[in-house]
Amino acid sequence: MIWVCRACYVDGHLTPPKPGQSVDPKPCAGNDGTTITIEDLFYNTPTRLSALKSSSEEYSRILDVLTKYAIHNPKVAFVCKKAGSPTPDLSSPSASETPNNIRLLYGHSIAKELVPVQVSSKDKKFTREDEDEDMEADEPEGDPEEWHAEAHITNANYQAKKMVFLLFINHRLVESSRMRRAFEAVYNGILPKGSSPFVYLSLEIDPRLVDVNVHPTKREVHFLNEEEITERISDTFQRALAVQNHSRTFEYQTLLTGGVASTGQELSQKRKGKQREISDPVEEDDEESSSNLSKASKLKKTLSQHKVRTSLKDRTLDSMFPVENPAHVASSSSQGKSQDESTGKTLKSREIKESVCFLTSVLDLRRKITKGKHRQLTEILEKHTFVGIVDLQRSLSLIQHSTNLYLVNHGSLAEELFYQLGVRQFGNFSRMKLDPPPPLRNLVEIAVNAEDSTKNSKLTKSQIIDRIVKILMPRREMLAEYFSLCISDAGLVESLPLLLRDYTPNLNNLPSFLMRLGPQVDWTSEIECFESFLRELAYFYTPGETVVPTSGSDDEQAQDQAERWQIQHVLLPAMRRYLFAPKSLLDRDVVQAASLPDLYKVFERC
């Protein structure tokens, strides 16, 4: 039996909610757990009240603390959102692991470079003196100074401007300047100057050995044998990083675009040329022609490091490997080949016109896309030259623009492209018919059975399936009218929206797409509904790692070649024409790998 009650406290003592009422806790309705509501904070300490910052700044501090505790407590679900906000700013799952929460809250760039480390007082100390080893071995068991530490640190491939140090001592978030300096010293010989790592450390030690009365706010602590413990942990970090230091990954990024500035000598020549033309307006034909030729030769002369040696008409790497019977492009190949193998020209698809729509929510989404356009990145994608696919499973490709070489995540670019194409064609999609039409319930059942996260849900799998089907079936008319997703009265999926001609999405992801429409789409608000649905549709269309090939059969090779062909000849040309690249793609999806002028400087030093 669960008993829920409500009580009011002032200065740590029970107080009546209203004058004349009893101070005893009263039963009330509520959810499982403890709910604490704080009102009139610091009302009796004016100095502390005046030190409070703005609500947004205080909220950011609260969010930072909760994020760190969510990393330290992966078995507990954390949710934090600002009052009035529809979506939470922090949401972590329950029954998770520390690396998974780091990936969710701090990003994939940190999680992929993590190195787990464990060290305790029982571990043998690695020193060059055998006497120390003998002393460590003779320590009695059950030592009151026993301690244990668990850490997740980044290797040499991760570099940040500011160090992120999460320190928990006995499951309490604290700070230690001595430990921070020691760990920074470990990375000084590994990372470039000005770069810092990510360190998460959980230290468990006897509470009697910890001195918390160092800082007025109890943020910084000291403990017994702090130097020795810090040294042991630092040595363990050093050995773990040395094992991981066999290979290094370097990322290089400079200005995205930029012309070659004219030198002072060229500017002076131009000015002299203009003054000469004004002072000598009448000259002989042969002298005028010879002077013009000399000036033209000086102006047109370009240094080797600034020459662009590629063209959109040149053949790329993938054009040398023909696609044999690709299932994805069978429809486009039946319409006739428009690719000239001698010149490497890509297919000319029909222009995608913007649909006529008067809905305010759709017009707002279109204005948002236009406003978020990054001019330089969009110029790179419009005028790029495709070099080749680096890793198909990781969705990495190389493109060239001007004298720079860029490593791009074509999966992320394709997802943004398909979202913008969905907004562009809203209400006027072409249809991709499914013959025979599969039952909606069977598709959702396949996805739910394959989803591992449903094990932690309070609902059974059949209840989850029924709930998703009940969400989609009453909205059949809206889905068919706005998105061309036709579902019959009998629950058969008859057609899907076609975002881009000559491109067919991987239908193996169709069950997952229909399942995600239930919980991932906000059906309560019009603009949120349209945006979240189109995001899920774009995610369904995005090429990516779905079925990892385990053998080198002919079908798998043909499928691999077909996907490469679609990326080069369908997706990237569509990005040139329709993609308004947002600035968010610069974070980790578009990275400059090389620059021809910089390479010349390196060669000159050699």
Side-chain angles (χ1 to χ4, degrees):
M1 180 178 179
I2 300 176
W3 182 58
V4 182
C5 63
R6 180 172 182 174
C8 296
Y9 288 83
V10 173
D11 297 333
H13 301 284
L14 283 170
T15 183
K18 294 182 180 179
Q21 296 183 359
S22 175
V23 298
D24 297 333
K26 295 182 179 180
C28 66
N31 298 325
D32 296 344
T34 302
T35 302
I36 301 176
T37 304
I38 301 175
E39 299 177 351
D40 296 333
L41 188 63
F42 306 125
Y43 75 97
N44 56 351
T45 53
T47 304
R48 183 65 183 90
L49 182 63
S50 62
L52 283 176
K53 305 295 182 181
S54 62
S55 58
S56 59
E57 185 173 350
E58 295 292 340
Y59 176 73
S60 64
R61 294 180 179 179
I62 295 173
L63 186 63
D64 178 65
V65 173
L66 286 179
T67 301
K68 294 177 179 179
Y69 272 98
I71 298 297
H72 183 67
N73 299 276
K75 304 299 182 183
V76 181
F78 284 78
V79 177
C80 180
K81 68 177 181 178
K82 187 181 292 187
S85 176
T87 57
D89 296 315
L90 168 64
S91 178
S92 65
S94 61
S96 182
E97 299 294 337
T98 299
N100 296 336
N101 280 7
I102 293 176
R103 177 183 292 105
L104 178 65
L105 301 177
Y106 282 92
H108 179 69
S109 59
I110 294 179
K112 69 178 181 179
E113 309 296 349
L114 285 179
V115 178
V117 178
Q118 290 188 358
V119 59
S120 66
S121 57
K122 296 182 179 180
D123 295 341
K124 187 176 181 180
K125 186 175 181 180
F126 290 87
T127 60
R128 296 182 180 180
E129 298 179 3
D130 296 333
E131 296 179 357
D132 293 341
E133 295 180 0
D134 296 335
M135 293 175 62
E136 291 286 337
D138 295 334
E139 286 182 358
E141 296 182 358
D143 189 356
E145 298 181 4
E146 182 179 343
W147 55 272
H148 175 76
E150 179 182 355
H152 292 274
I153 61 176
T154 53
N155 56 24
N157 293 331
Y158 176 77
Q159 303 171 14
K161 294 182 179 179
K162 187 177 181 181
M163 180 179 180
V164 180
F165 181 37
L166 279 63
L167 174 61
F168 286 84
I169 297 181
N170 294 335
H171 309 289
R172 182 171 175 268
L173 180 63
V174 295
E175 293 181 0
S176 175
S177 57
R178 181 174 297 174
M179 279 191 166
R180 176 183 288 269
R181 290 193 299 268
F183 298 156
E184 288 177 347
V186 172
Y187 282 91
N188 282 341
I190 300 175
L191 297 181
K193 185 177 180 181
S195 300
S196 301
F198 172 92
V199 176
Y200 160 77
L201 175 62
S202 175
L203 176 62
E204 295 185 14
I205 193 172
D206 191 346
R208 294 173 297 179
L209 307 179
V210 181
D211 182 12
V212 298
N213 296 317
V214 178
H215 195 274
T217 62
K218 314 297 183 183
R219 292 169 54 187
E220 188 172 351
V221 299
H222 291 317
F223 47 90
L224 192 64
N225 300 328
E226 184 174 358
E227 293 184 1
E228 180 183 354
I229 295 175
T230 302
E231 182 182 359
R232 290 282 298 276
I233 297 176
S234 299
D235 293 342
T236 306
F237 285 3
Q238 187 74 41
R239 291 193 298 272
L241 293 173
V243 175
Q244 298 289 331
N245 203 25
H246 296 301
S247 63
R248 298 284 293 272
T249 301
F250 296 94
E251 294 184 356
Y252 179 79
Q253 185 166 359
T254 58
L255 294 177
L256 292 176
T257 58
V260 180
S262 300
T263 62
Q265 183 178 1
E266 292 177 350
L267 292 175
S268 62
Q269 290 178 355
K270 292 180 181 179
R271 292 171 182 171
K272 290 180 180 179
K274 290 181 179 179
Q275 293 176 359
R276 192 176 301 165
E277 290 176 3
I278 296 174
S279 60
D280 300 329
V282 180
E283 294 183 355
E284 295 182 1
D285 295 340
D286 54 350
E287 294 179 356
E288 184 176 356
S289 60
S290 61
S291 62
N292 291 335
L293 287 175
S294 61
K295 291 178 184 178
S297 61
K298 291 181 180 179
L299 294 176
K300 290 183 179 180
K301 184 177 180 181
T302 305
L303 299 177
S304 299
Q305 61 265 34
H306 299 304
K307 290 182 179 179
V308 180
R309 306 173 189 273
T310 59
S311 173
L312 294 176
K313 297 181 179 180
D314 294 339
R315 297 184 67 183
T316 56
L317 295 178
D318 283 358
S319 65
M320 303 178 185
F321 301 94
V323 179
E324 297 179 359
N325 300 324
H328 293 70
V329 295
S331 60
S332 61
S333 61
S334 61
Q335 298 174 2
K337 296 182 179 180
S338 61
Q339 179 183 2
D340 187 359
E341 297 182 357
S342 62
T343 60
K345 295 180 180 179
T346 56
L347 288 173
K348 295 183 178 180
S349 58
R350 185 182 303 175
E351 181 182 359
I352 301 176
K353 297 182 179 180
E354 188 174 78
S355 62
V356 179
C357 183
F358 300 101
L359 294 177
T360 306
S361 55
V362 178
L363 297 178
D364 290 341
L365 291 177
R366 291 176 177 176
R367 283 193 292 267
K368 183 178 179 181
I369 293 174
T370 305
K371 185 178 179 180
K373 175 183 176 181
H374 192 274
R375 182 180 58 82
Q376 293 179 330
L377 181 56
T378 304
E379 179 184 352
I380 290 176
L381 297 177
E382 285 179 355
K383 302 178 181 180
H384 79 269
T385 303
F386 179 77
V387 178
I389 296 177
V390 178
D391 192 333
L392 190 62
Q393 299 298 331
R394 298 173 61 187
S395 301
L396 297 178
S397 297
L398 281 175
I399 63 174
Q400 180 179 344
H401 175 264
S402 184
T403 58
N404 298 327
L405 186 67
Y406 297 94
L407 181 66
V408 300
N409 186 330
H410 59 254
S412 300
L413 297 179
E415 184 174 355
E416 183 64 28
L417 169 68
F418 287 126
Y419 168 72
Q420 295 184 11
L421 289 178
V423 177
R424 184 184 185 91
Q425 305 174 80
F426 185 89
N428 191 27
F429 292 97
S430 300
R431 297 186 179 184
M432 179 172 56
K433 294 185 178 180
L434 302 180
D435 188 19
L440 171 64
R441 184 179 182 83
N442 293 354
L443 294 176
V444 175
E445 183 178 0
I446 293 173
V448 172
N449 292 333
E451 188 70 26
D452 295 334
S453 61
T454 57
K455 298 179 181 178
N456 301 326
S457 175
K458 297 181 180 179
L459 302 176
T460 63
K461 291 188 177 182
S462 59
Q463 291 175 339
I464 296 175
I465 296 170
D466 293 338
R467 182 167 295 186
I468 295 175
V469 173
K470 288 180 181 179
I471 291 175
L472 297 180
M473 289 299 293
R475 296 175 172 85
R476 298 191 309 274
E477 296 182 0
M478 185 268 288
L479 295 176
E481 180 181 359
Y482 290 156
F483 306 107
S484 298
L485 176 57
C486 299
I487 304 175
S488 65
D489 297 337
L492 301 178
V493 183
E494 297 178 344
S495 66
L496 299 174
L498 183 62
L499 296 179
L500 182 62
R501 292 184 181 273
D502 304 319
Y503 181 86
T504 304
N506 192 337
L507 295 181
N508 292 335
N509 295 330
L510 180 58
S512 177
F513 165 65
L514 296 174
M515 179 195 69
R516 290 173 62 89
L517 292 182
Q520 299 297 331
V521 177
D522 185 1
W523 301 98
T524 59
S525 173
E526 180 177 304
I527 187 170
E528 296 291 341
C529 173
F530 293 162
E531 183 177 8
S532 56
F533 182 92
L534 292 174
R535 288 291 182 187
E536 291 299 326
L537 182 62
Y539 183 73
F540 165 61
Y541 263 80
T542 302
E545 185 177 356
T546 54
V547 180
V548 180
T550 56
S551 61
S553 62
D554 295 339
D555 294 339
E556 292 172 349
Q557 292 180 359
Q559 183 179 2
D560 183 79
Q561 293 294 335
E563 186 173 353
R564 291 175 178 271
W565 187 88
Q566 283 193 357
I567 293 171
Q568 177 182 354
H569 299 289
V570 180
L571 286 182
L572 292 176
M575 293 177 192
R576 292 192 184 102
R577 301 181 62 181
Y578 304 111
L579 180 60
F580 287 3
K583 186 179 180 180
S584 59
L585 294 175
L586 293 176
D587 294 338
R588 54 187 175 184
D589 297 320
V590 180
V591 177
Q592 181 174 317
S595 174
L596 187 59
D598 293 338
L599 290 177
Y600 266 78
K601 294 179 181 178
V602 174
F603 295 150
E604 289 174 358
R605 296 193 191 103
C606 298

